[in-house]
Amino acid sequence: MRQKLIQHLLVLILLVPLLFINIKNSHDWGDDFAQYIHQSQNIINGISQNNTGFIFNENYFIGPVAYPSGFPLLLAPVIKLFGIDITSLNIYLSLFLVLSCFMTFLFLRKYTSYLTALITTLIIAYNPMMIDFKTEILSDLPFTFFSLLTLYLITKQENVWRTILIGALLAFTVHIRSIGYLLVFVYLITRLLSISKTDGYKSLILGLTTFLILFMGIKFLFPYNSNYPSLFEADNFWLNANNHISYNFDKLYMFFRFYEIKNFFYIGVIASSSLIAFSFIGLIKFIKTEKLSPITLYVIGYILIVISFKYGDAGLRFLFPILVFIFLFAIIGVKTTLNSLEIKAKWLPVFCGVLILYSYSEEIEKITANTKTICEGPYKPESIKMFEYINENIKPNDVVEFDKPRALALYTHVQSVALNPYQENLNIKEEVKKFKISYILTSDVLTDNEIKSFLRTDTSFCKMICSINEFQLYKIN
């Protein structure tokens, strides 16, 4: 027991530097983060989560009118204490990366040696993509932690308190991201399959009762109306699924390749290729030995949902909750292959780990060197000046069109909508009338050329009233 405690402490100690690496004081134009922060502010102030000033454009889906309340609830204590302080929120999200990686270690340790589990955890934790991503104020890392923790408890032997905790975690995880309902399904199937062996009906009822009480409690206390598309809402399901399979394979392949390795490019190529190839072999082996285990049900169900979802092509972040299992399958695949070849190579995890971690060094140095650089986004001086101008010169609740409407609504008192520059036969005058737009804010970095050229040439329609570096603010005549 003491040795196990020491081993776990060592893992945590090695993960602690993540709390200090790449902690920024600015954010990019991601826009999703602004919606989460705004909803969190509304929770603190007792305002509806749908009252953010963001006007939804059905012809241009950049996000729902409101996100589930779980992540805004997680942000609320930090925002209550520090306000919209990006540095504090960065540290907070980094903590969820540390916790997610610790859960990664616990899962890997169940199936591999301590050394293999430790090195694999560090390979995931210190991948430059992960270090870069943790600066994004998004729900992916918290969902990854809570989903892995819930799944880990489901795989453990039952007792009363663990059952209550599972029910509570299921309820909260569902409110972070809707795909959390998959965990409810996994829990139900797992417990129903075990009921034939043990008298587990009481435990199942207790778990589901806890889930329903907390789920309905959060839903009642922190209501929101969302308009996420349903699971099979894509126009062409078969084409959508195939596109998303290709997209997510490409993103997974880039896990060891998206960062620049000048002199050791082969490391990323071999690592990425091996991860995908051996994970297939390992998955087949895992299903053969574990059959309908909670992990099997979760991974297969999760992949099916992601490829079926209309917007399942949102980057590797959608695969974070199952990344540990992809690596686990790859490890099993390597072991299976080596055993079939009658090769014993206990040195392999250390060799591969050192090689891959070394390949991170150049990119991590770049990230560290640019930590204090202000991102292209709402915290640039010209952005702040434009927001100040809008707050001083435009009436509250006037509608301003902007490419990042949720960010504009967060940092100013106006309402904002984004027009779809990619729709066929875009008629700006009709869109202005439809959404009652009074102003249009353009950016040399963000705004489509078609919109900019129209505003600059049709002087009878609008006139520029303010220009600050890359920004131009037009008033509709």
Side-chain angles (χ1 to χ4, degrees):
M1 184 68 182
R2 185 180 177 184
Q3 182 184 6
K4 188 176 181 181
L5 179 62
I6 293 171
Q7 290 178 343
H8 287 181
L9 283 174
L10 177 60
V11 176
L12 286 171
I13 290 169
L14 291 172
L15 292 174
V16 162
L18 291 170
L19 297 175
F20 305 97
I21 298 174
N22 200 28
I23 302 299
K24 303 185 78 68
N25 59 4
S26 63
H27 204 284
D28 58 32
W29 279 119
D31 207 36
D32 286 328
F33 86 97
Q35 181 78 6
Y36 284 121
I37 289 176
H38 214 145
Q39 286 185 228
S40 185
Q41 282 186 319
N42 287 3
I43 288 172
I44 294 169
N45 296 321
I47 303 171
S48 168
Q49 291 184 73
N50 286 83
N51 187 18
T52 62
F54 167 54
I55 299 173
F56 180 78
N57 182 355
E58 64 276 6
N59 292 324
Y60 192 32
F61 187 89
I62 59 174
V65 292
Y67 286 107
S69 56
F71 186 48
L73 278 170
L74 284 173
L75 293 177
V78 179
I79 293 175
K80 178 75 173 176
L81 286 172
F82 304 104
I84 307 176
D85 183 67
I86 300 299
T87 299
S88 301
L89 292 169
N90 259 207
I91 295 171
Y92 191 47
L93 268 295
S94 298
L95 177 61
F96 280 106
L97 175 58
V98 170
L99 294 173
S100 298
C101 290
F102 185 70
M103 292 308 306
T104 293
F105 167 79
L106 293 181
F107 270 109
L108 292 171
R109 185 67 184 94
K110 290 182 68 173
Y111 298 95
T112 66
S113 69
Y114 175 78
L115 190 60
T116 300
L118 174 61
I119 291 172
T120 306
T121 298
L122 296 178
I123 286 172
I124 295 173
Y126 286 94
N127 182 280
M129 182 183 290
M130 304 300 289
I131 291 175
D132 187 54
F133 181 80
K134 73 186 182 74
T135 64
E136 301 286 339
I137 303 170
L138 296 171
S139 64
D140 300 88
L141 291 176
F143 178 79
T144 298
F145 166 64
F146 280 102
S147 61
L148 290 180
L149 176 59
T150 306
L151 189 63
Y152 185 78
L153 292 175
I154 291 173
T155 64
K156 305 287 281 185
Q157 190 173 355
E158 286 185 273
N159 60 47
V160 173
W161 292 111
R162 186 171 289 149
T163 298
I164 293 173
L165 181 57
I166 289 171
L169 286 169
L170 284 171
F172 192 70
T173 304
V174 164
H175 280 294
I176 297 176
R177 298 189 75 156
S178 299
I179 198 172
Y181 283 110
L182 173 61
L183 284 166
V184 181
F185 170 78
V186 171
Y187 175 69
L188 276 171
I189 297 299
T190 302
R191 293 299 180 254
L192 288 172
L193 289 175
S194 64
I195 280 175
S196 59
K197 301 175 184 177
T198 60
D199 184 19
Y201 287 105
K202 291 181 180 179
S203 176
L204 179 60
I205 292 171
L206 177 62
L208 292 178
T209 301
T210 305
F211 164 75
L212 288 172
I213 290 173
L214 186 58
F215 173 81
M216 295 305 298
I218 294 174
K219 193 174 181 65
F220 176 76
L221 292 172
F222 308 101
Y224 65 92
N225 295 316
S226 189
N227 59 340
Y228 259 128
S230 60
L231 188 58
F232 302 106
E233 198 173 306
D235 296 330
N236 186 321
F237 172 75
W238 175 247
L239 184 61
N240 180 77
N242 277 275
N243 285 340
H244 288 176
I245 290 171
S246 301
Y247 175 88
N248 285 285
F249 264 119
D250 177 62
K251 293 303 175 185
L252 184 61
Y253 183 64
M254 294 303 292
F255 188 74
F256 293 113
R257 292 196 56 208
F258 92 101
Y259 50 94
E260 185 179 357
I261 313 175
K262 291 182 179 178
N263 301 315
F264 305 97
F265 182 72
Y266 72 93
I267 298 175
V269 174
I270 294 173
S272 293
S273 302
S274 298
L275 178 63
I276 292 176
F278 285 114
S279 62
F280 271 102
I281 300 171
L283 174 61
I284 295 169
K285 178 74 173 179
F286 190 87
I287 293 174
K288 185 178 179 181
T289 55
E290 297 290 326
K291 296 183 172 59
L292 291 178
S293 72
I295 292 175
T296 305
L297 291 170
Y298 183 64
V299 171
I300 293 176
Y302 191 93
I303 292 171
L304 290 175
I305 289 172
V306 168
I307 66 173
S308 303
F309 185 52
K310 186 176 182 179
Y311 301 105
D313 53 350
L316 185 66
R317 64 192 182 94
F318 271 18
L319 296 182
F320 284 173
I322 61 168
L323 197 58
V324 53
F325 304 117
I326 295 172
F327 273 85
L328 174 60
F329 298 151
I331 293 168
I332 294 172
V334 170
K335 286 183 177 179
T336 302
T337 303
L338 292 178
N339 289 338
S340 66
L341 297 173
E342 297 182 352
I343 297 174
K344 294 182 179 180
K346 292 184 178 180
W347 51 267
L348 191 61
V350 177
F351 175 77
C352 292
V354 170
L355 202 62
I356 291 172
L357 289 171
Y358 175 73
S359 74
Y360 293 167
S361 58
E362 290 181 15
E363 188 66 20
I364 291 177
E365 284 179 11
K366 290 180 186 176
I367 290 173
T368 305
N370 292 316
T371 297
K372 299 303 179 183
T373 302
I374 298 176
C375 300
E376 179 63 48
Y379 286 87
K380 290 190 72 174
E382 52 265 43
S383 302
I384 294 172
K385 287 180 180 178
M386 179 55 75
F387 295 154
E388 289 174 349
Y389 179 88
I390 289 172
N391 283 326
E392 292 171 2
N393 296 278
I394 296 180
K395 295 177 183 178
N397 296 322
D398 273 0
V399 179
V400 179
E401 193 280 334
F402 183 51
D403 303 82
K404 302 296 179 180
R406 294 174 293 180
L408 186 63
L410 175 65
Y411 294 105
T412 68
H413 55 217
V414 302
Q415 296 186 71
S416 188
V417 65
L419 301 184
N420 183 1
Y422 309 110
Q423 67 178 333
E424 293 182 9
N425 304 317
L426 171 63
N427 190 319
I428 294 177
K429 292 183 179 180
E430 285 186 5
E431 297 285 276
V432 164
K433 185 177 180 181
K434 176 182 177 182
F435 293 106
K436 299 179 180 179
I437 296 170
S438 300
Y439 301 86
I440 295 178
L441 177 61
T442 64
S443 162
D444 294 338
V445 177
L446 300 170
T447 308
D448 186 78
N449 286 329
E450 183 179 348
I451 293 177
K452 287 189 291 187
S453 61
F454 172 82
L455 296 174
R456 288 167 182 168
T457 54
D458 195 338
T459 54
S460 63
F461 175 67
C462 63
K463 72 172 182 177
M464 185 190 299
I465 60 172
C466 180
S467 178
I468 302 175
N469 290 11
E470 69 180 70
F471 294 102
Q472 302 84 38
L473 181 63
Y474 293 86
K475 180 176 174 56
I476 306 300
N477 292 327

